[in-house]
Amino acid sequence: MNDDLWRLTATRMRELVVRREVSREELVRAHLARIEQVNPKLNALVEQRAEQALAEAREADAGHAGRADLPLDGIPISIKDHYDVAGMKHTEGLPAMADRRSTVDEVVVRRLRRAGAIVVGKANQPDLQIRWNTISHLYGATLNPRDTSLSAGGSSGGDAAAVASGMAPLGLGLDYGGSIRVPATFCGIYGLRPSAGRTPASSTLPPFDGPPSVDLMSCVGPLARCVEDLWLAYTVIAGPHWSDPATVPVPVSRSGANGRRPRIARMLDQTGALVSPEVAARLDDTARVLAEAGYEVVDAAIPHARRAPELWAEIIGTELMQTGMPEFGFLLGESNRQHIEAMFSIYNLGSEVRNYIQAFIERRQVQREVAQWMEEHPLVLCPVAGMAAPALDFDHMLDREQTQRLFDRMRNIPWVNLLGLPSVALPNGMQIVGRRFHEAQALEAAAAVQQAIGAASVAEP
């Protein structure tokens, strides 16, 4: 069994460690062997820490008696390049930062390690994380472990590919515009984007702060092959911290609505999304599973469904094009730079501050009306992307019309970020969106789907 330990879920690994049926060192060695076997094909992990991980595992094994309460005891984990891990590179995928290293762990990494997790490597991302594909100017492209001719998604594609292929049972990503949900669904695993303000983002290297939309729309979250593992990691990383003033002290609950199944709104293309027949059929299948599990599933759409994705793009695009690209655009690789300029120039509101402020006023109106609507529809079931995992070059050097079409395929993604809502991505390409700080309801519904479709299998690239 020890040769196949990498096939297990984190939940199962911890059970074996607690009962001393498997050592932490055996877990780490099994995953390092798996990394050696498949990472050269996928380019998911861009830096490894084999010797440090083994040393930490041996030390933990020696102190077994004092670790009974650690929820991630001995669990190997991959960490997106964007996050600070002491002694490891933090490059943001840029050649100009190729030698930059973190001196300390940032908060979420520190929480994971204090819970017993062992970092085995840093995972690839596109330049500065701004892409639905994982192509780094420094490290190259990450391939999809289920079909290496396809995209792994982005921007947390390295972590998604690592988790899907058994290099780690858990990965740590970030979702500002689908960067957890897109790679999760393209790689056929589960991913949780918590509510904005739920998990702290606190880089220890500059830049320390971002534009207003970061606090309102971005969130750190886990990727895994099953819902139970999402729960494990989420409960460890959630909670406020002074280093991120946007985090709020809302208690983390493991229960949803006191045993009652909330109503679920089934939403397909009301955002204006272009959805393939294959994805629409999967939505129908998932709605059927949830109905059979006791949920009331109704056809309905959030207020301002078509406008909400565009409003996200206007706010993000204006921040990027007016302040971001003039500051760091020259650092990006040609493909990443062209993608950003093509996508967000469509929605750039220009330098007139009145337009930018008006977008935030409109956002508040949409947020209020959607919150009221979600009192009657606490969960929303809809696709993530409008297509199955595409070819690796699906977003490469697109013209304006092609770029607009790509955005239209992704319209079911950014409204979630605009409103700061939690969402669970499923391996079948669907997502379950909940009310803000009601992650438990979304995760419970995802668990009901998992009972029917199963945990994600380990890919064999």
Side-chain angles (χ1 to χ4, degrees):
M1 180 184 73
N2 287 3
D3 291 340
D4 284 346
L5 288 173
W6 47 268
R7 292 188 181 276
L8 304 178
T9 65
T11 302
R12 179 60 177 154
M13 290 177 198
R14 184 178 181 275
E15 291 173 354
L16 295 175
V17 166
V18 168
R19 295 203 296 262
R20 307 198 84 159
E21 294 180 28
V22 168
S23 72
R24 300 159 187 83
E25 183 176 357
E26 287 176 305
L27 275 181
V28 170
R29 287 193 181 278
H31 284 86
L32 291 175
R34 180 63 173 172
I35 291 169
E36 184 178 0
Q37 178 187 7
V38 300
N39 194 56
K41 305 174 187 177
L42 302 178
N43 192 35
L45 298 184
V46 294
E47 185 183 6
Q48 299 174 37
R49 59 189 301 274
E51 293 306 315
Q52 301 98 314
L54 286 169
E56 290 170 11
R58 287 190 288 267
E59 182 180 0
D61 284 333
H64 178 88
R67 300 173 65 88
D69 295 331
L70 299 182
L72 296 175
D73 192 10
I75 305 303
I77 188 169
S78 72
I79 304 289
K80 191 175 185 175
D81 178 83
H82 172 73
Y83 296 109
D84 290 310
V85 178
M88 301 193 77
K89 291 184 178 181
H90 178 158
T91 72
E92 296 294 343
L94 303 174
M97 298 183 182
D99 297 323
R100 191 171 76 149
R101 291 188 179 273
S102 305
T103 57
V104 295
D105 296 338
E106 69 175 86
V107 173
V108 286
V109 174
R110 189 159 67 243
R111 287 176 177 177
L112 289 165
R113 295 178 74 176
R114 285 179 177 172
I118 298 175
V119 177
V120 293
K122 293 289 289 290
N124 199 18
Q125 63 172 64
D127 299 9
L128 295 176
Q129 310 184 86
I130 313 171
R131 198 166 181 173
W132 288 312
N133 201 355
T134 295
I135 298 177
S136 161
H137 187 29
L138 175 61
Y139 295 117
T142 293
L143 308 184
N144 192 316
R146 303 202 184 273
D147 183 338
T148 54
S149 69
L150 304 180
S151 169
S155 63
S156 306
D159 285 282
V163 170
S165 61
M167 291 188 243
L170 289 170
L172 186 69
L174 179 144
D175 197 312
Y176 195 7
S179 287
I180 288 172
R181 290 165 290 152
V182 171
T185 193
F186 283 0
C187 291
I189 61 173
Y190 293 86
L192 170 64
R193 180 213 131 81
S195 306
R198 178 65 93 175
T199 53
S202 53
S203 176
T204 68
L205 296 173
F208 301 110
D209 303 297
S213 62
V214 170
D215 286 352
L216 301 172
M217 304 181 196
S218 182
C219 201
V220 183
L223 298 108
R225 295 192 297 272
C226 67
V227 175
E228 293 84 358
D229 288 0
L230 291 183
W231 271 113
L232 276 180
Y234 161 63
T235 54
V236 167
I237 64 175
H241 192 271
W242 61 263
S243 63
D244 183 352
T247 51
V248 293
V250 179
V252 174
S253 171
R254 288 266 324 195
S255 64
N258 299 319
R260 293 166 45 212
R261 300 291 201 190
R263 179 181 294 142
I264 299 178
R266 174 189 175 277
M267 192 168 76
L268 176 63
D269 56 5
Q270 293 94 329
T271 58
L274 300 175
V275 180
S276 72
E278 175 188 1
V279 172
R282 290 182 180 180
L283 177 66
D284 290 341
D285 291 342
T286 309
R288 190 177 308 114
V289 166
L290 288 165
E292 291 172 354
Y295 288 89
E296 179 191 0
V297 182
V298 299
D299 288 328
I302 63 166
H304 308 283
R306 187 176 184 91
R307 174 61 180 148
E310 297 169 0
L311 188 56
W312 170 87
E314 289 176 0
I315 292 172
I316 300 292
T318 302
E319 291 175 344
L320 272 172
M321 301 307 292
Q322 295 301 316
T323 63
M325 293 299 282
E327 292 178 11
F328 55 67
F330 67 96
L331 298 174
L332 305 176
E334 181 183 10
S335 178
N336 283 284
R337 183 175 61 252
Q338 191 274 342
H339 172 76
I340 293 170
E341 291 174 343
M343 178 71 70
F344 291 105
S345 64
I346 296 173
Y347 294 99
N348 180 12
L349 296 174
S351 59
E352 175 57 61
V353 70
R354 180 186 297 108
N355 297 330
Y356 179 66
I357 293 173
Q358 186 59 45
F360 273 98
I361 293 173
E362 184 182 357
R363 174 191 176 273
R364 193 174 192 277
Q365 174 198 349
V366 174
Q367 188 175 35
R368 182 178 64 253
E369 293 184 22
V370 172
Q372 180 182 16
W373 178 86
M374 291 188 82
E375 290 296 305
E376 299 297 324
H377 308 83
L379 295 174
V380 178
L381 170 69
C382 66
V384 178
M387 71 288 202
L392 183 61
D393 64 352
F394 77 99
D395 61 351
H396 180 65
M397 297 298 182
L398 304 182
D399 62 27
R400 185 182 179 91
E401 182 178 344
Q402 293 168 325
T403 299
Q404 181 65 69
R405 186 171 179 82
L406 173 58
F407 180 82
D408 289 344
R409 289 182 180 274
M410 301 297 206
R411 278 176 175 264
N412 278 321
I413 295 167
W415 68 269
V416 178
N417 299 87
L418 178 78
L419 306 177
L421 302 177
S423 178
V424 183
L426 307 176
N428 64 2
M430 300 301 110
Q431 62 179 325
I432 299 173
V433 185
R435 293 173 293 170
R436 193 177 180 203
F437 301 125
H438 285 72
E439 286 85 355
Q441 283 189 337
L443 284 162
E444 287 181 354
V449 176
Q450 182 181 283
Q451 284 197 324
I453 68 173
S457 64
V458 176
E460 294 288 354

